[in-house]
Amino acid sequence: MAEAGRTEAGPRPTGVLGRLGSVRMRLLAIALLPTLIILPLVLLLVVGWWTRQFDRLLISKVQGDLTIARQYLDRLMERSDETLHALGDSVAFEKVAEGGDPAALAAFLAARRAALGLDFLYVLDARGQVVAASPPGARPDAAAGGVASSPVVARALKGEAGSGIDVVGPRALARLSPELEARARVDLVPTPGAVPTARTEEGRGMVVQSAAPVRLAGDARGALVGGVLLNGNLDFIDTINDLVYGRGALPAGSEGTATLFLDDVRISTNVRLFEGKRALGTRVSGEVRAAVLGEGRVWHDRAFVVNDWYISAYEPILDSAGQRVGMLYVGFLEAPFLALKRTILIAVGIAFLLVAAVTIPILLRWAAGIFRPLEAINATISRVEEGNLSARTGLAAKADEIGRLAHHLDAMLDLLRQRDGELRRWADELDARVAERTRELEAANAELAAAQKQLVMSGKLAAIGEITAGIAHEINNPVAVIQGNLDVARELLGLAARPVRTEFNLIDQQVHRIHIIVSKLLQFARPGEFAGARDPVLPAEVIGDSLLLVQHLLSRAEIAVERQDAASRLVFMNRVELQQVLINLMVNAAHAMPGGGTLTLESRDMARGGRPGVAILVRDTGTGIPAEHLARVFDPFFTTKGQGGTGLGLSISYTLVERAGGAMGVESAEGAGSAFTVWLPQAADEAQA
């Protein structure tokens, strides 16, 4: 008996797990959790949020920069439109135009072109023919691709002034001026990430063209047309860059850039390749080209520009016909902002390390003031558990909770030692009472054994009653078959006996079956003396024999039979018992189809639970079994036939199949028929078992 007054404690964890689960480790975790885990997580969340906001701020800035650049380009076209309209409405132009002298008009246009900073200036009559042009000898084409074919010019000839951007081919530029053709030509520079191309140069020109309706000699209608070539127009792109990225607009080390693209080729830019050389002829990346020129979207994101990463903004440029012909770009170097971001993150990390270095020693000292007294209390409790009831903490009473806890523990240990002696005395008294109760239980056990013998006898009597009822049912089936065959014999043959020799043989077989059933009763009563033989049988043969015995019932009820014998294995079961099971299932199927139907008999090889065997299926198209009765169909004395059944056929069949190591199941739907499945193990497998 265990020592009175003590309880056996479970095993305490040792090693690493024990140290991790100790009070010291938990207190240290509580002390250091805010500094080493929670604070870093909060910092990570804040830094992540700040980084996203920082990136959004950069994107927002480049969006604003692109807006300024676009407004400047729009203002350039508006100013060109206003300037040309004012020139067409001026008194000086009216006097020269009314004079009808093309040479004087050409001289006037040359002077005004130089003063206005235009690359070309010419006058068309109402039929689109050139009246005068500057530079001298310029022949603006009205055919497709020429400057005179622009929708801007067509609208001016109809009386509507306007401006637009157009792309002019190299031949059309040459007809305006060989100088313009040379200025527009740009050699293509291989660029990483650009869409592959077989071209080596870009000869087209992008022009800002304005046109205003005018009156010519004889009050004839005409149009005054002027424009500026943007290819290589560095003043234009540098002005945009100065507007967007003036002094102080970017932090030290960053650099703002602006670019005008014809298709995906840089025709005017302040992006540098090396040694101050502008990156004319380089091309935009394929990703940006697909988004801006292919889909018409505005790009606001980081992008690789020539040789470095930039925070970039691109938007498509539309010509006067509404087609995407180029792009306008602004952006600034990403590297200085990344360096600034890294500097801030490093500063935050250093600040966190400084805070941790200062606070962690203080937190550890505070934690030590808690776990040291707790460890003393824990050591005292361990010694008491080992049997040393005189162990005490020895801690002086303090004003804090742990000091009071240690004082109360010592007082409790004093009381425990006192109660231990009392428990020992009570234990001796309890042992005496237990011995007395043990003797009483032994007497009660003897009475219980006698009662159990009576219960076993009652159970045997109940089993005999069930078996007797089963025998009565089983005798009825062969008698019914005998009677049915005798009726057939009387109807067909009368007094002639020779043609009915088969039926008489069947009568002999059924009488023999009655003998077998009686032997099964004896086998149940004395299984050691009467053991039924089980031999390997072929299911198809037993199905055929059983079908022959109930053929008259099926014919009388006009039931069609379908057989599918696909099983190739032998089963290990008494042939008569298997025949008895199948006959019972066939008779039940016939009763379920009083108005006729189809009886399907199927056998196939099937494994169950990893064991090879054979499944025999008996399916009818009869009335079916209600769902609430399916769980009870194999119970003894349960029947759905009313007064016409005993409720033992399926129960006995189930017992026979189970005793042979098989299983029996049913599937049915009310009004749709029933399907009973008998699974039996393969004969070879059963013999080895």
Side-chain angles (χ1 to χ4, degrees):
M1 179 178 177
E3 184 179 354
R6 291 182 57 192
T7 58
E8 294 187 5
R12 289 191 294 268
T14 59
V16 176
L17 293 179
R19 292 193 295 273
L20 291 177
S22 66
V23 175
R24 176 192 291 266
M25 296 304 298
R26 282 181 282 180
L27 286 175
L28 288 176
I30 293 173
L32 300 179
L33 182 66
T35 303
L36 297 182
I37 297 180
I38 296 179
L39 183 58
L41 287 177
V42 172
L43 286 176
L44 287 176
L45 292 175
V46 172
V47 168
W49 174 84
W50 175 82
T51 301
R52 289 193 296 271
Q53 295 303 317
F54 187 85
D55 294 339
R56 290 177 182 175
L57 182 62
L58 295 180
I59 297 300
S60 178
K61 172 175 173 48
V62 81
Q63 287 176 343
D65 297 342
L66 182 62
T67 300
I68 295 174
R70 181 68 209 190
Q71 289 175 349
Y72 175 76
L73 181 59
D74 293 341
R75 181 56 187 159
L76 178 65
M77 290 190 292
E78 291 175 2
R79 189 166 60 247
S80 176
D81 182 28
E82 293 170 356
T83 300
L84 205 65
H85 199 280
L87 177 62
D89 291 341
S90 67
V91 176
F93 178 82
E94 184 178 354
K95 289 181 178 180
V96 175
E98 288 179 353
D101 184 359
L105 183 57
F108 176 82
L109 293 179
R112 298 312 300 164
R113 181 176 72 86
L116 296 176
L118 300 176
D119 288 320
F120 58 87
L121 184 64
Y122 60 92
V123 177
L124 299 177
D125 60 17
R127 296 176 300 169
Q129 300 297 320
V130 178
V131 177
S134 177
R139 292 173 296 161
D141 292 331
V147 293
S149 65
S150 170
V152 174
V153 176
R155 287 194 294 268
L157 291 175
K158 295 179 180 179
E160 180 183 351
S163 296
I165 293 177
D166 288 302
V167 176
V168 182
R171 295 180 62 184
L173 287 174
R175 294 175 68 86
L176 280 174
S177 168
E179 179 188 356
L180 293 181
E181 180 192 12
R183 279 177 51 193
R185 186 180 300 109
V186 177
D187 293 331
L188 297 187
V189 178
T191 309
V195 176
T197 181
R199 296 189 303 158
T200 59
E201 67 176 14
E202 176 59 76
R204 296 174 298 167
M206 180 181 287
V207 298
V208 175
Q209 186 168 229
S210 300
V214 294
R215 292 291 179 181
L216 303 177
D219 203 27
R221 178 181 295 180
L224 177 63
V225 184
V228 177
L229 178 66
L230 296 180
N231 293 47
N233 195 331
L234 303 182
D235 291 338
F236 161 75
I237 206 68
D238 288 342
T239 301
I240 291 180
N241 193 71
D242 292 340
L243 284 173
V244 177
Y245 302 115
R247 180 174 299 177
L250 296 173
S254 187
E255 177 185 351
T257 55
T259 299
L260 183 68
F261 289 87
L262 174 54
D263 195 11
D264 63 347
V265 179
R266 289 179 175 86
I267 60 172
S268 183
T269 182
N270 65 339
V271 178
R272 300 299 198 266
L273 278 175
F274 51 85
E275 297 180 356
K277 181 180 179 181
R278 300 186 184 239
L280 296 174
T282 58
R283 301 167 61 222
V284 77
S285 66
E287 182 182 9
V288 175
R289 186 185 194 282
V292 180
L293 292 178
E295 303 176 14
R297 293 192 289 111
V298 178
W299 176 281
H300 297 134
D301 204 344
R302 64 193 300 265
F304 191 79
V305 179
V306 181
N307 53 15
D308 210 339
W309 286 96
Y310 284 72
I311 304 297
S312 307
Y314 297 79
E315 74 170 20
I317 294 178
L318 306 181
D319 64 5
S320 57
Q323 301 296 319
R324 293 189 288 270
V325 295
M327 295 180 289
L328 180 62
Y329 152 84
V330 292
F332 46 85
L333 273 173
E334 182 187 36
F337 293 94
L338 292 179
L340 177 62
K341 187 188 299 185
R342 284 194 296 270
T343 302
I344 294 175
L345 294 178
I346 292 172
V348 171
I350 293 174
F352 166 73
L353 293 176
L354 291 176
V355 171
V358 173
T359 58
I360 287 176
I362 299 174
L363 294 175
L364 291 177
R365 180 172 298 179
W366 287 351
I370 298 175
F371 59 69
R372 285 174 183 168
L374 291 178
E375 288 178 344
I377 294 173
N378 183 58
T380 300
I381 294 174
S382 298
R383 292 198 299 272
V384 171
E385 289 178 347
E386 293 171 357
N388 184 8
L389 298 181
S390 62
R392 299 294 182 268
T393 63
L395 297 175
K398 296 182 180 180
D400 60 9
E401 292 81 356
I402 297 179
R404 290 196 297 270
L405 175 63
H407 179 71
H408 288 309
L409 176 62
D410 290 342
M412 290 176 60
L413 291 176
D414 292 337
L415 182 61
L416 176 64
R417 189 172 184 179
Q418 177 184 352
R419 296 292 176 84
D420 182 68
E422 297 176 359
L423 288 174
R424 291 178 184 275
R425 292 191 297 272
W426 293 345
D428 294 338
E429 183 180 351
L430 180 61
D431 287 341
R433 292 184 179 182
V434 168
E436 182 180 355
R437 293 293 185 270
T438 300
R439 290 190 295 271
E440 294 176 359
L441 286 175
E442 289 175 353
N445 284 337
E447 296 178 0
L448 180 60
Q452 286 177 342
K453 291 181 180 179
Q454 293 180 356
L455 289 175
V456 170
M457 185 61 68
S458 299
K460 287 185 177 181
L461 292 175
I464 291 174
E466 182 178 347
I467 293 173
T468 303
I471 291 175
H473 173 78
E474 293 299 334
I475 291 176
N476 286 337
N477 281 342
V479 171
V481 174
I482 294 171
Q483 186 62 50
N485 282 282
L486 287 175
D487 291 342
V488 172
R490 292 189 188 96
E491 292 176 3
L492 295 178
L493 303 176
L495 298 177
R498 187 177 184 83
V500 294
R501 180 182 303 168
T502 301
E503 282 72 12
F504 289 158
N505 291 337
L506 289 175
I507 293 172
D508 293 337
Q509 293 177 10
Q510 295 309 308
V511 171
H512 178 67
R513 183 167 178 250
I514 294 173
H515 174 71
I516 294 299
I517 292 172
V518 174
S519 69
K520 296 307 174 184
L521 173 61
L522 295 177
Q523 177 184 352
F524 182 81
R526 291 177 290 175
E529 183 177 349
F530 297 91
R534 291 191 296 168
D535 298 315
V537 295
L538 185 63
E541 294 180 357
V542 181
I543 293 173
D545 294 344
S546 304
L547 185 62
L548 182 63
L549 297 178
V550 297
Q551 186 63 48
H552 66 284
L553 293 177
L554 304 178
S555 300
R556 190 187 313 171
E558 298 182 354
I559 296 173
V561 178
E562 294 183 359
R563 290 188 60 181
Q564 299 177 13
D565 296 319
S568 62
R569 299 169 178 169
L570 300 178
V571 297
F572 199 69
M573 183 176 180
N574 184 274
R575 183 186 186 92
V576 177
E577 290 180 350
L578 179 57
Q579 184 177 353
Q580 175 182 337
V581 171
L582 296 178
I583 288 175
N584 182 264
L585 294 178
M586 294 178 189
V587 171
N588 287 346
H591 292 166
M593 298 182 289
T598 300
L599 174 64
T600 301
L601 303 174
E602 179 183 350
S603 65
R604 63 179 182 273
D605 296 336
M606 186 179 76
R608 179 184 175 91
R611 297 178 59 194
V614 174
I616 302 174
L617 178 70
V618 180
R619 181 189 293 114
D620 62 69
T621 58
T623 57
I625 302 173
E628 62 271 16
H629 293 162
L630 272 178
R632 302 181 57 195
V633 294
F634 297 116
D635 292 348
F637 304 108
F638 177 79
T639 180
T640 58
K641 300 178 183 178
Q643 299 296 327
T646 64
L648 291 170
L650 288 177
S651 174
I652 293 175
S653 298
Y654 187 88
T655 302
L656 294 175
V657 172
E658 191 176 52
R659 190 169 65 189
M664 192 169 177
V666 60
E667 295 180 359
S668 181
E670 192 170 5
S674 305
F676 286 84
T677 303
V678 176
W679 181 87
L680 294 169
Q682 186 177 358
D685 183 71
E686 182 67 20
Q688 293 175 0

